[in-house]
Each structure stands twice: as C-alpha cells, then as structure tokens.
Amino acid sequence: KYLESALRGGGTLRPRASYELARLRYAEAKKKPAAQGDRLSAEQATDVLQPLAGSRRASPPLLETYALTADVWSHSVPAFTRQNLAFLDEGVGCFPRNLPLIYQAAWLNARQGFTTEADALIVRGLNAGADPAFRTRLEQLRSRLSLVNNANAGTPAVPAQP
C-alpha cells in the first residue's frame, strides 16, 4: 500500500521500488485473469506494467524490469506493436548474454508475426550462450518459425536442420 500511495501521490519511485510494485500487481492480476485462456487482458497488463514506465530511463537498468515485462506480455492477450517490443530489444542490448530474456523477446516477436526480428534474436542468442537447454529451446523456436515462414510462402514446411 505504501508503494501504491507513493506512485499515486506523484512521487518518483526508484527503479527497484517500481519493479516491486509491478511484481505485486502481477501476482494479484494472475489470480483473476480477465482474458480467455487464463491470460491477462490488455488492461491488466497495462496496469501491471504502469509503474515500470519511469524506470525505463533509470541507470543502471534492471534486468528484472525487462524480464517482468516479457513475462507479463507472455501471459497476456497478444496486442503488441513492434514499438512495444522494441523495449525488449533494449533489454537484450543491456543484457546481451541473458538467454532467458533473449528467448522471451524472440518468442514474443514470433508470436506477433515479426519473424525477421525474432530470427535475429534467435541468432543473437545462439551466438551468445553455451547453455545447452536454451540453445535447444532457441533451435526449436527457430524450427517453428521456419515452418511458419514456409507455410506463409506457400512452400512445403521443412524443419530446420538441428
């Protein structure tokens, strides 16, 4: 309640406090998702992420800000523009070796149909990390993306080579 009060009062929250408030809002929103398929509605996602708007310009940036944003968007109805997703690109730029963030950014881009950006993120992730589990996940995402691209082009869907 103190964080909410500080935010409503026009006070500036520090980045960590903004993150904590957004995290608490997310926990509450997940209890009662308002969209089909147990997803958050666009309004819920906006409300959850609203405290993070000011922390975007904070220095140093918090990985948690980008990770929470990606998680919220992953569990909400898809209604993102390329401009929205550019925020995650910014996070990947700040944390270029964080494979979970790279994967989520690539997945969200693919989900929204931004296949070129998704593929670039997948390549970046494959080049950045040696974690076998995330390499496998990135390769699987790349295969699914290849299937979608081939289907959209009217060519037979051929899985990418492992």
Side-chain angles (χ1 to χ4, degrees):
K1 71 179 179 179
Y2 295 112
L3 292 173
E4 290 285 358
S5 177
L7 189 65
R8 274 192 308 273
T12 303
L13 294 179
R14 292 180 185 241
R16 186 65 188 198
S18 296
Y19 162 75
E20 290 299 334
L21 179 55
R23 187 184 61 76
L24 291 169
R25 285 182 177 184
Y26 186 36
E28 285 300 312
K30 286 194 307 186
K31 291 178 185 176
K32 295 180 183 175
Q36 185 178 15
D38 284 334
R39 294 196 170 278
L40 301 182
S41 67
E43 295 79 20
Q44 284 178 304
T46 299
D47 182 59
V48 166
L49 296 175
Q50 187 265 334
L52 299 178
S55 65
R56 187 173 185 174
R57 293 170 291 286
S59 183
L62 292 177
L63 171 61
E64 292 89 345
T65 298
Y66 299 103
L68 180 64
T69 300
D71 194 41
V72 169
W73 286 347
S74 294
H75 293 94
S76 62
V77 291
F80 315 113
T81 65
R82 185 60 208 123
Q83 185 178 359
N84 296 131
L85 294 170
F87 177 68
L88 296 182
D89 295 344
E90 179 184 304
V92 168
C94 293
F95 302 97
R97 302 194 72 69
N98 189 284
L99 295 180
L101 180 62
I102 293 170
Y103 178 84
Q104 281 193 298
W107 183 81
L108 283 164
N109 272 281
R111 180 173 129 182
Q112 291 305 117
F114 302 115
T115 56
T116 302
E117 292 82 356
D119 192 56
L121 286 162
I122 291 168
V123 169
R124 186 174 190 158
L126 291 170
N127 290 334
D131 182 309
F134 272 101
R135 288 187 67 78
T136 299
R137 289 179 72 191
L138 286 165
E139 288 290 352
Q140 289 171 343
L141 181 59
R142 187 179 225 182
S143 284
R144 288 192 306 259
L145 195 58
S146 177
L147 291 171
V148 169
N149 285 340
N150 287 334
N152 288 343
T155 59
V158 178
Q161 293 294 319

